[in-house]
Amino acid sequence: MAMLIQWAAPALSALVLLLVATGAGVPAMRKLITVYEAKHELKHGSAGWLRSLRGWSMVAFWLMITWYVASIIGDWGMNGDLGGAIDRGWLRLRILLEIAMAIMESN
């Protein structure tokens, strides 16, 4: 029974993460579809084509945030130590912030 309770918290957290990420990702996916559809109408090098690329950064940020939270939940599920998982998450956050800055510079 204790083993079931130990796995229930990370599993429930993963389910909540999936629901929240799906809800938050709907606008990003709509933008992705709009960018994909616009790609067929706009010529490479035009101002409209360059503006359409900005939607990709929103999708990238959404994926990075979802991955970050999922990595903490996965670490917690494997080790059973939420405090340690959050501490190790700070290193992952630093890496993600560097990636996010590189994406922002490219826009």
Side-chain angles (χ1 to χ4, degrees), residues 67-80:
W67 174 84
Y68 175 71
V69 174
S71 70
I72 291 175
I73 292 171
D75 190 351
W76 176 28
M78 290 303 296
N79 296 321

Side-chain angles (χ1 to χ4, degrees), residues 2 6-7 14 21 23 27 32 38 43-44 57 64 71 78 104:
Q6 181 182 5
W7 286 98
L32 177 65
K43 302 265 189 227
H44 182 70
S57 61
M64 286 191 304
S71 70
M78 290 303 296
M104 288 171 49

Side-chain angles (χ1 to χ4, degrees), residues 41-76:
E41 298 175 4
L42 301 172
K43 302 265 189 227
H44 182 70
S46 68
W49 183 80
L50 293 175
R51 266 187 254 120
S52 71
L53 290 178
R54 293 184 189 264
W56 289 100
S57 61
M58 185 172 68
V59 173
F61 289 133
W62 170 64
L63 288 173
M64 286 191 304
I65 291 168
T66 303
W67 174 84
Y68 175 71
V69 174
S71 70
I72 291 175
I73 292 171
D75 190 351
W76 176 28

